[in-house]
Amino acid sequence: MMNSFRISKDNIAGYSFLGFIAVLPFEDIFGSIMLVITIFLALLFNSQKEFFKIFKEKKGLWLLMAYYIIAVISLLYSQDFPESLKKLSKLLAFVLIPIMFLLLNPTEKLLKLGKKIFVFAMIAFSVFSLLNLGYNYIVNYDISHWYNFVQDSMYHKYMPEDAMYLNTALILLLFGDFKKNLKLLTAILFLVIIVLFSVRLGLFIYLLIVTIYFFFNIKSLLNWKTLVIVASTVFTSLLLVSQSRYANDKFYDTLDKIGFNTENQVSEIGAKYHKMGLREKIWSSSIELIEERPILGQGAGVEKRPLAAVNQTKGYDIPPNYHSHNQFLSSILQYGIIGGLWLFFVFLYLFLKSVKAKNLSAFLITVVMLISMITESYLELQQGVFYFCFFISLEAYDSTIRQIKNKTNS
C-alpha cells in the first residue's frame, strides 16, 4: 500500500496529512506545524469546488466547530475574560482540524494508510520511551532508586493521555490489517509502556480491548500457545511492577481500595502519594462551582482559579493548578448545561455513526474516549484536543465510506 501511494501534485497534501498523524504522539508543536502546513498544501493543490457540499454532509465536523462557537459566545459572560480569550487560541483545533479534513476530503485509501501510520507512530513513541529509560539508567544510575525515577526517565507528554493514544493504536492494530506476529509483539510493547507509566485506567482499558478482541477471535485464540503467551505476559507485567516502587504502590493501592486487601504491599509514601480520594474531593468542588452557574457556566478556560478557591475554602490540600479531572464536569463548569449537552450529542453521534456503519474500531475508540474522560479533563490539553478532533473527523469520513460500501454490498 505504501508503494502504491506515490508523491505527485495531487497527493502532496495527503502526504502532509500522514506527516501530521505521524507526529501526533510527540511534542505538541510538531502537530501544530504539520496542521498548518497540511491546510496550506490542501488549499494550494486540492480542488475545493465541492467544499460546501462536503461540509453539509459531514455533521460530525459541525459538532466540533460548534464547541468553538460555544467558547466564543462564553466571552460575553465569562468570569475571567483574559483567561477565556487565552483559551480560545488553544481551542482553534476544533475549527482547523475539521477544515483540514474538508480541504483534503481524504479517500478510503488515505484513511487506511493514516490509521497504519498512527499505529507505527505509537510503536516509535514506545520504543523511544524505552530507549530514553535505558539511557537514563546508564547515565543516572546513582539516582535510579528514586521513587518515580522510571516514570520521569521515560519519554512522555502527559501519561494518562499517552495511555489513551496507546489504547487507540491498540484498537487499530488488533482490528486492523496487520500480521499476527506484529499484533502480538506490538500489543506486548504497548502493555509494557502502560504498566511502566502506571496509568491505572489505561491498564483497565487495555485489558478491556484485549478481552473484546479475544472474544471476537475465540476459535483461533483458544489454545495452549495463547495460554502460554498470556501467562508469560502477566508474569512479565508483575515483574515490571515489582521493579518500580511507584508502579507497585499505585496498582496495589488501587487493588486495596476495591477490596483485594493489598494494603501491606503499599509503601508509606505510596499511601499518601496515590490517594484515590483526591479526585472525589476535586469533583465535589467542581459540582459546587457548577451549582453557582449551572446554565451558562464560568466561561471558556475559567476553571482552575475558581476551583482552587473552593478547594482552599474546604481545606483540601490540592495544588492550585488542578482542573476537574473529569471532562464532563469541566465542560459543564465552563459552559454550563450547554457544554454538557454538547458532549452528550458528540458521543451519541459517534456511537450511532459507528453502529450504522458496523465499524467496530470506531465504536471501541469512542468507548476509550468516554471512559478516559471520567478521570481526566482531556480537552484542557492540546494533546487531548488534537486527539479528540482528529478521531471524530476521521470517523465522520470513515464511517460514511463504510455505510456506502455496506449499502452497495447488500
Side-chain angles (χ1 to χ4, degrees), residues 171-186:
I171 292 168
L172 297 176
L173 171 80
L174 295 180
F175 298 93
D177 182 23
F178 292 91
K179 292 182 179 179
K180 287 184 179 179
N181 288 339
L182 180 63
K183 285 184 179 183
L184 174 62
L185 293 174
T186 304

Side-chain angles (χ1 to χ4, degrees), residues 247-311:
N248 184 87
D249 286 347
K250 200 167 185 180
F251 288 123
Y252 280 111
D253 181 64
T254 304
L255 290 173
D256 182 62
K257 295 297 188 295
I258 59 179
F260 282 90
N261 196 28
T262 54
E263 185 179 4
N264 61 331
Q265 300 288 332
V266 183
S267 68
E268 187 177 340
I269 186 173
K272 296 177 182 178
Y273 201 88
H274 304 298
K275 290 180 181 177
M276 289 187 72
L278 181 67
R279 279 184 171 80
E280 292 177 15
K281 291 178 179 179
I282 297 173
W283 293 345
S284 69
S285 296
S286 298
I287 292 169
E288 191 172 309
L289 272 174
I290 288 170
E291 289 172 350
E292 291 179 9
R293 295 174 63 86
I295 307 299
L296 297 176
Q298 301 285 329
V302 185
E303 180 173 0
K304 291 181 180 179
R305 288 179 186 175
L307 198 55
V310 174
N311 288 333

Side-chain angles (χ1 to χ4, degrees), residues 86-110:
K86 181 181 172 184
K87 180 69 174 179
L88 287 183
S89 64
K90 296 179 180 179
L91 295 178
L92 271 174
F94 278 91
V95 176
L96 295 180
I97 290 179
I99 285 177
M100 176 182 70
F101 271 83
L102 288 168
L103 293 173
L104 275 171
N105 194 25
T107 61
E108 181 184 10
K109 180 179 173 182
L110 182 60

Side-chain angles (χ1 to χ4, degrees), residues 191-229:
L191 175 61
V192 168
I193 299 299
I194 291 172
V195 167
L196 290 176
F197 279 178
S198 307
V199 181
R200 293 170 287 199
L201 188 62
L203 181 59
F204 168 76
I205 294 172
Y206 179 97
L207 295 174
L208 178 65
I209 294 165
V210 171
T211 302
I212 293 170
Y213 177 73
F214 181 82
F215 176 79
F216 275 92
N217 298 273
I218 192 166
K219 288 184 179 180
S220 61
L221 293 176
L222 197 58
N223 52 55
W224 284 107
K225 182 181 177 182
T226 302
L227 186 62
V228 170
I229 291 171

Side-chain angles (χ1 to χ4, degrees), residues 146-198:
W146 285 7
Y147 186 63
N148 55 351
F149 173 82
V150 172
Q151 290 70 34
D152 282 351
S153 297
M154 298 178 75
Y155 176 77
H156 66 276
K157 291 202 287 184
Y158 181 57
M159 288 181 176
E161 298 203 10
D162 292 331
M164 182 171 67
Y165 273 58
L166 287 164
N167 280 321
T168 301
L170 179 69
I171 292 168
L172 297 176
L173 171 80
L174 295 180
F175 298 93
D177 182 23
F178 292 91
K179 292 182 179 179
K180 287 184 179 179
N181 288 339
L182 180 63
K183 285 184 179 183
L184 174 62
L185 293 174
T186 304
I188 293 173
L189 173 64
F190 289 170
L191 175 61
V192 168
I193 299 299
I194 291 172
V195 167
L196 290 176
F197 279 178
S198 307

Side-chain angles (χ1 to χ4, degrees), residues 233-247:
T233 304
V234 171
F235 175 77
T236 303
S237 298
L238 291 173
L239 185 63
L240 287 171
V241 168
S242 67
Q243 296 303 307
S244 169
R245 187 75 259 178
Y246 178 93

